[in-house]
Structure formats: structure tokens, C-alpha cells
Amino acid sequence: MRFSPARLIAGAMPTLIVLVACRCGGDSASDAAVEVGCTIESCDEQCRAMGRCYGSCAGGYCTCSTTCGDADGDGDRSDSVGDDGPDADVTDDQLDEFEDGAEVVIETRDAASPGIICRKVPKPRGRTAPPAAGFGPLVAHSNSAGSAPALPNVLELFDWSSTVRTVLDDLSDVTSDGTRLATDPTLDAAGRVLYVRTFFEDTSPTDYITHNELRMLSIATTLSQSLTTNQGDPGRTTIDSVTLDYPWVTWRDASEDTSYLWLAYALNLETDEKIDLVPRDSGVIGVGLLDGMALVDQTFFTLVDLETGERRLIVRRQCDDISGSRCDGRWGAVITPDWVAWLDSRAYPDCGWFVPCRTQIWGWNRTTETEAPLVTSDGMHGPRLAGRGPWLAYEDQRHDPDPYHNADDEEQTIYVLHLPTMTELRVEDWPGFQFWPSLYPNGDEYHVLFYEEIGTAGVVDDLWDCSLPVL
């Protein structure tokens, strides 16, 4: 099957407006809290120096625009960007409200283990759509500017080295009276961002359909191209599990055209070759990618060599290889250079991936080709697991009053495991609910991103970025 991703969206749609938020005055973010501010005059001067035009000065942030119809700075200066701290009152109408010149503090917080440094990513307190992703100094995430239903979840980029915030896709060209989302970002060293656009289209006064689009965007040029689309009934249509490891892209897909089967695909961006990773089959839980090797989480954890097409079944998802076991199995598999790791319910077989409880983490060593337990301490580990380089990161409820069940819990913590040394570190010991970790490389370091639930007015979360020690 051949597939061409050559349609450049930027050439067929209105020009994408990019808003760049700059911290005016002061150095780049450090491990200590930094207070900054700006004026209309200083913001206008800084924007012009960047080849852009004044947008607004709000919340201590200067917002520049690439659309210069109002280069003299007489346009709307009401944009609210920034963050007023962890104790802000959250309302349904507006989650961030600032006056020009207000101070902004990049918040840092003590981690639970030595060598870990945690900083909060500056962003509006609006609806979030995890997960976030990073590479080098860049963090990409999905976020709205408030809780109003009409506000879209835009694709936003934050640069720790310059403290510049950029809206990569504001979805202004999408016509929809309902939900508009730019989600599931992943990015690489060349400045490519892969993500999913989702919006609803009314088909009658009482019915609508969901549209999904897998899109790739260049940070340097803001040009984007559509890789694939689907549509169908809400709740049954999806594009997710997006991974980019050039020249390959992988994703999970369910649409009306495939009778809503959960399938998985790979696409070569250089040759346009599209590969069905699970031909004539369904039930894909997830798909991953590393160095031209796709990992499909299905009846078996299956490694697929994308160059040769060779398929290898490495671990059966069900626990019927364990005598007498009734467990629902293993799921959430991730691939790293040395290990394939997953969540495993063999210690408490009455639960499984639909209702996780006393979940452990196990792995398959890619060198020895043997299974081994990785995290078997008391409590529930998961239900989300991430892997990158030498690290695993996972949600953990061992400190919760009821550590065996994932049901409206009050306490959840982020842990990491350094695979070469089998060193487990608790990332944070903060009260409340931290969730949906992801990992990314930044030079010699690795970082873990995760969300902290901070409000009840919609889905309102803070995004944290914690650097991990070099072990």
C-alpha cells in the first residue's frame, strides 16, 4: 500500500498566526525563581528586534506576532499569557487574568530525590490534553487559554533556553462550533513536531461526527503537512500513540472506514511507504517506535522491523504462560534501547488493564531475550508507563491510603527507574494527584514531564518538567 503525505496544509489554508511570548528583561530561566516584567514600549522594541510585531504585554510576558498588520502596537493588548502561581483561584469563565506589568515567577519546587530539579512550565491555566513531549530545551503541549467551551486546545511550544512561548497551531482555520484540539505532540532534534488535530462537525441538530488528522509541522518554517485523516462516530474514532523517529512515524487508528477496529500503522516520510502493522487484525492497545523497530501492544508484544518487514512475537499479552494464572495480562509496553517494559497484573489476577490494581512492571531484555521483574514493590504501579533512553517513568500509588486501586484516588506520585543500574527514584513527594509522565532527552540529561491536578473547573492541570540525574 502506498501513501503520499505531500499535501502542504500551509499552502492551502490561511497563514498560521504564531504568537511568541518573550520574558522581557532578565536572563533565561535558572534553577531559582525569576521575576520578570515588561512595558508596551520594551515589548514593542523586543518584538521588532526579532522581526515580529507587538502583540501584547500581559502577565509580565511580551507577546509578539508574526502577523504585522498592526506593527505600531495599536492592536488588541488584552491577551492573557503567563501563570499567576499555584494558589490562584480557578473560575469557570477565566483561569488566567493579568494586568500589564504584573510579575511572573517561574516556579521551582523541591523534588523527592537528590539530583532532580523540578520547574513548572509557564502556560495558561486552561483545559489540558496530556501527554506533553520534549526534545532538547523544547517542550510541546496542548492547552487552552481558559475553561470556556469555545476555546480550542492549541498546540504550544515552550523553550527553556530562551523562555519563549510559541503557539504552533491555534486551529483558527478549523470551522467547528464544538471541540477543537491539537494533541499528542512528539518532536525530534530536527525541529519536526508530529501531532493530532481533532474537531467535531455537526451533521444534524442532534448528531455530529469526529474528524482526526495526523499532521507534521516544522518549527523553523511553521509549514505543516497532513499525513493521514479519519472520521466517524464520537468515542469510536481515534488517532493516537503517535511516535516520530525519522524517517518513520507510527500511530494507532480507529475509524468508520475500518469498522472501528483498533489498528496500527507506520509511515516512511522519505518514501511515502505505509505499512499495516496488524493486517486483518484489531485490538491494538498501543504502538511504539525506536531505531526502525516498531513495538505493537496486542495479543502479543510484537517487534516489527520496518525495513525488512520481519515480525517477532516476544511476549504473550495474556498470562496463560503462567500455570494457573487468571490475570488479564500485560499492557502498556514501551521500547528502550535495552528493554521492552510493560505493566503486569500477574500479582493480582482479578484485575487487568481495564481495571488496574496491584500492577507491577516487568521487562524483556533485548540482549539476553529473557523476562525479568523490574518494579515489584507493594502497591499499584501505573496505569501509565513511559520509556526513553535509559529511563522508565510511571505513575505510582504506593503512598495512597488505598494503594491497590486506580479509582478517584487522592494521592498519586511519579517515579522513575534507571535501567542500567536498576536505580528507582521518587521524582516528587507533593500532595495530590500527579499523572501522565513522559520522558525526553536534553543534552546528556533526561527530563520527565508530568501533570499535576490543581483545579476542578474543567480539566485544569499544571505541567512540570523535572531533570533527572546522570547516573
Side-chain angles (χ1 to χ4, degrees):
M1 184 185 303
R2 306 289 293 179
F3 181 83
S4 174
R7 292 173 293 153
L8 287 180
I9 300 301
M13 295 185 176
T15 302
L16 180 67
I17 297 175
V18 179
L19 299 178
V20 181
C22 316
R23 291 196 316 170
C24 303
D27 299 323
S28 60
S30 67
D31 295 338
V34 180
E35 296 183 1
V36 294
C38 64
T39 65
I40 293 175
E41 291 75 17
S42 67
C43 179
D44 182 63
E45 180 179 355
Q46 182 165 344
C47 290
R48 290 176 183 272
M50 298 170 63
R52 297 181 173 91
C53 305
Y54 175 86
S56 71
C57 175
Y61 276 85
C62 170
T63 303
C64 305
S65 174
T66 57
T67 303
C68 297
D70 187 15
D72 294 328
D74 295 328
D76 182 8
R77 295 168 179 165
S78 63
D79 296 344
S80 292
V81 294
D83 194 323
D84 57 352
D87 300 321
D89 294 330
V90 180
T91 67
D92 285 337
D93 296 328
Q94 185 63 44
L95 298 176
D96 276 301
E97 186 173 355
F98 302 99
E99 296 180 357
D100 285 356
E103 288 185 350
V104 170
V105 175
I106 293 183
E107 182 181 344
T108 63
R109 192 179 292 179
D110 290 339
S113 299
I116 298 178
I117 298 172
C118 294
R119 298 181 291 180
K120 187 167 71 174
V121 177
K123 68 176 185 63
R125 274 198 171 155
R127 296 184 312 275
T128 55
F135 201 102
L138 304 178
V139 173
H141 61 93
S142 174
N143 199 85
S144 70
S147 63
L151 291 172
N153 270 56
V154 303
L155 180 67
E156 189 166 309
L157 190 75
F158 180 73
D159 187 339
W160 282 113
S161 65
S162 64
T163 65
V164 170
R165 286 175 50 200
T166 307
V167 177
L168 294 178
D169 188 347
D170 62 5
L171 293 97
S172 60
D173 61 307
V174 176
T175 302
S176 174
D177 294 331
T179 299
R180 291 177 292 160
L181 303 169
T183 64
D184 291 279
T186 182
L187 59 161
D188 67 8
R192 289 175 284 249
V193 182
L194 194 70
Y195 66 104
V196 178
R197 270 188 169 198
T198 298
F199 68 93
F200 295 156
E201 177 188 9
D202 293 331
T203 57
S204 72
T206 59
D207 199 11
Y208 58 92
I209 60 175
T210 300
H211 293 261
N212 299 293
E213 178 185 22
L214 181 61
R215 180 178 286 200
M216 189 170 67
L217 180 145
S218 166
I219 296 174
T221 67
T222 72
L223 294 177
S224 63
Q225 61 188 89
S226 178
L227 303 183
T228 189
T229 62
N230 69 28
Q231 66 181 39
D233 291 342
R236 302 176 67 191
T237 306
T238 186
I239 295 177
D240 59 18
S241 289
V242 174
T243 312
L244 169 64
D245 191 1
Y246 194 85
W248 292 100
V249 169
T250 57
W251 70 95
R252 188 179 72 151
D253 190 298
S255 71
E256 186 176 46
D257 293 340
T258 56
S259 302
Y260 301 107
L261 299 176
W262 286 8
L263 304 175
Y265 299 98
L267 174 70
N268 188 309
L269 296 170
E270 293 180 346
T271 66
D272 297 348
E273 178 188 10
K274 184 180 178 182
I275 300 174
D276 296 338
L277 295 175
V278 285
R280 300 176 302 280
D281 209 342
S282 65
V284 175
I285 305 303
V287 58
L289 175 65
L290 180 66
D291 297 332
M293 189 71 68
L295 171 67
V296 183
D297 181 349
Q298 199 188 17
T299 306
F300 278 86
F301 298 153
T302 305
L303 291 175
V304 183
D305 188 318
L306 298 178
E307 294 295 337
T308 67
E310 179 186 358
R311 301 170 58 86
R312 183 175 183 192
L313 309 180
I314 59 170
V315 176
R316 180 179 289 276
R317 193 172 167 273
Q318 299 297 323
C319 294
D320 52 10
D321 57 334
I322 302 174
S323 178
S325 176
R326 298 179 293 108
C327 84
D328 188 30
R330 302 126 179 181
W331 72 96
V334 297
I335 184 170
T336 73
D338 297 324
W339 290 86
V340 172
W342 64 87
L343 300 166
D344 197 301
S345 62
R346 70 183 67 185
Y348 200 84
D350 288 334
C351 294
W353 78 280
F354 273 114
V355 186
C357 52
R358 195 169 184 166
T359 304
Q360 299 175 340
I361 300 175
W362 283 63
W364 183 80
N365 188 294
R366 298 181 64 186
T367 300
T368 64
E369 300 187 354
T370 57
E371 288 185 35
L374 300 178
V375 181
T376 59
S377 52
D378 205 23
M380 191 190 81
H381 314 297
R384 292 183 182 90
L385 172 69
R388 193 78 177 263
W391 292 95
L392 299 178
Y394 39 96
E395 301 164 336
D396 200 288
Q397 297 192 13
R398 70 185 73 176
H399 307 289
D400 188 83
D402 179 10
Y404 301 117
H405 298 87
N406 181 44
D408 300 323
D409 296 304
E410 297 179 356
E411 295 291 333
Q412 184 166 271
T413 305
I414 304 299
Y415 272 80
V416 293
L417 178 69
H418 186 250
L419 290 165
T421 62
M422 291 299 165
T423 301
E424 188 183 42
L425 300 175
R426 185 177 182 181
V427 175
E428 45 76 28
D429 53 5
W430 314 333
F433 200 81
Q434 284 66 240
F435 64 102
W436 217 312
S438 59
L439 292 156
Y440 74 94
N442 186 1
D444 294 332
E445 290 183 339
Y446 277 82
H447 288 228
V448 58
L449 294 162
F450 59 89
Y451 287 83
E452 178 185 24
E453 186 179 272
I454 53 94
T456 57
V459 182
V460 185
D461 313 297
D462 283 341
L463 175 59
W464 288 88
D465 185 323
C466 299
S467 60
L468 302 177
V470 178
L471 299 180

